[in-house]
Amino acid sequence: MRTISPAKAVATMALLASSFIIPPAFAATPAPAPAPAAAKPGAPATADQNPLLASVNGQDIRLNDVRQAMATMPEQLRKLPDNIIVPILLNQLVDQRAIQVAAAKAGLDKQPDVQQQMQQAAQNALQNAYLSAQVAPTLTDDAVKAYYDKNYANKPGAEEIHARHILVQTEAEANDVIKQLKGGADFGQLATKLSKDPGSAKQNGGDLGWFKKGDMLPTFWDAASAMQPNTFSQTPVHTQYGWHVIQVLGKRTAPTPTLDATRDQIRQKLIQEGVQKAVSNALSQVKVVRFGPDGKPLPEQPAAH
């Protein structure tokens, strides 16, 4: 009989704790439950394809319960061998049933706040089921490829800037840095000596590497993008972190990203668009009335979706 190594079991349990119990909505398209194993030649036609695996106070836990739990897990966990993942999932299901039984015995299911949470959970499950039914079928490879062709293919990549900076606490300090640079001081040495940004100050004299627009605060990006390579800012740049003196070392246009590199990003975008479309469709089929503080109906507003 094969056994699970303690180290591997601990690692698997850690992954399950962060992914199985509370699976993120649409984090990954759930894999269909594995088809029942084919009956062995000569086996009775009535062989049980959904055997009983455990019982908690008479409540059965069968193989299909484990399969359903497995289908909600991230792909990396679904690939684990059955002899590793099935016992762990079964133990979790047993634990959950035991907790539910204990909670019911304590009368927690009769408490108004718990009943409200249970009702909310049921409503959320119904909502998520609707959204999944509407969106999941649209997340095809062809849809991802079509989005890539429309929005990425044959288009230049994003502008990137290579820069370094010196971060100080006051505008006066930043102006003094600029004065020293104009007098011939070395930017990297000043960054190592004066910068309050411990990360970049210790990395080659304030070097931030290459970055895109969304990687930096808007004020910082706007200042850097307006500068020419091999120049430093003539006036301090203020952000929520303090006052910056920036030196731009280079600029370039990133290559067009590949389909594989953008697949996850595109998929998330398609999910967002699909959810918005599903919500708009649902709203179009109902009558919504909003009320003011006086309890009177408010005038109808145009749909915001």
Side-chain angles (χ1 to χ4, degrees):
M1 186 174 99
R2 289 189 293 180
T3 59
I4 306 171
S5 71
K8 192 165 189 177
V10 170
T12 304
M13 286 293 287
L15 286 170
L16 286 169
S18 63
S19 61
F20 165 60
I21 296 177
I22 309 176
F26 296 110
T29 303
K40 295 181 180 179
T46 58
D48 190 356
Q49 301 300 317
N50 185 28
L52 180 66
L53 301 183
S55 176
V56 180
N57 265 23
Q59 298 181 26
D60 293 347
I61 299 177
R62 295 183 173 272
L63 180 58
N64 279 349
D65 297 315
V66 175
R67 287 172 174 158
Q68 291 175 5
M70 191 181 302
T72 66
M73 294 162 46
E75 183 178 0
Q76 67 188 89
L77 293 178
R78 295 199 300 266
K79 292 180 178 178
L80 289 171
D82 285 350
N83 69 301
I84 292 178
I85 198 64
V86 170
I88 295 175
L89 287 176
L90 178 59
N91 286 339
Q92 284 201 343
L93 291 175
V94 168
D95 292 346
Q96 290 172 5
R97 294 285 176 88
I99 292 171
Q100 292 162 11
V101 170
K105 284 184 177 180
L108 296 179
D109 57 331
K110 302 298 192 296
Q111 294 184 0
D113 58 332
V114 175
Q115 290 183 338
Q116 182 178 7
Q117 293 175 32
M118 293 171 65
Q119 182 180 8
Q120 184 64 52
Q123 293 172 346
N124 288 340
L126 184 60
Q127 169 186 293
N128 290 338
Y130 173 79
L131 292 176
S132 180
Q134 297 296 310
V135 177
T138 69
L139 303 177
T140 63
D141 289 340
D142 288 343
V144 172
K145 179 65 163 54
Y147 189 96
Y148 174 83
D149 290 341
K150 178 181 179 181
N151 295 280
Y152 290 94
N154 303 316
K155 294 183 179 181
E159 179 186 1
E160 294 183 333
I161 297 175
H162 182 197
R164 51 186 179 178
H165 78 141
I166 300 171
L167 174 65
V168 292
Q169 294 180 341
T170 68
E171 184 177 13
E173 290 176 291
N175 279 318
D176 183 64
V177 169
I178 293 173
K179 182 179 179 180
Q180 293 184 59
L181 291 172
K182 289 180 177 179
D186 181 85
F187 194 100
Q189 292 180 1
L190 286 181
T192 302
K193 178 182 178 181
L194 302 175
S195 183
K196 303 302 181 183
D197 183 348
S200 67
K202 296 177 182 178
Q203 298 171 4
N204 302 322
D207 197 340
L208 298 169
W210 290 95
F211 53 84
K212 299 182 179 66
K213 184 175 183 178
D215 298 333
M216 294 294 173
L217 294 171
T219 304
F220 191 100
W221 171 265
D222 291 344
S225 62
M227 297 167 56
Q228 295 300 315
N230 301 314
T231 63
F232 58 85
S233 47
Q234 300 298 297
T235 57
V237 178
H238 187 236
T239 71
Q240 65 193 61
Y241 297 105
W243 295 86
H244 307 258
V245 178
I246 304 170
Q247 183 183 44
V248 172
L249 303 176
K251 292 185 176 182
R252 69 185 183 189
T253 298
T256 302
T258 64
L259 174 59
D260 285 341
T262 57
R263 190 180 303 276
D264 290 343
Q265 180 180 349
I266 292 173
R267 190 174 180 280
Q268 291 303 315
K269 184 64 177 178
L270 291 176
I271 289 173
Q272 293 172 3
E273 293 179 352
V275 168
Q276 291 173 356
K277 183 178 179 181
V279 172
S280 295
N281 181 57
L283 283 172
S284 70
Q285 301 177 55
V286 298
K287 179 177 178 60
V288 179
V289 179
R290 293 181 172 84
F291 298 86
D294 58 0
K296 296 181 180 179
L298 296 173
E300 291 189 19
Q301 299 292 327
H305 299 276

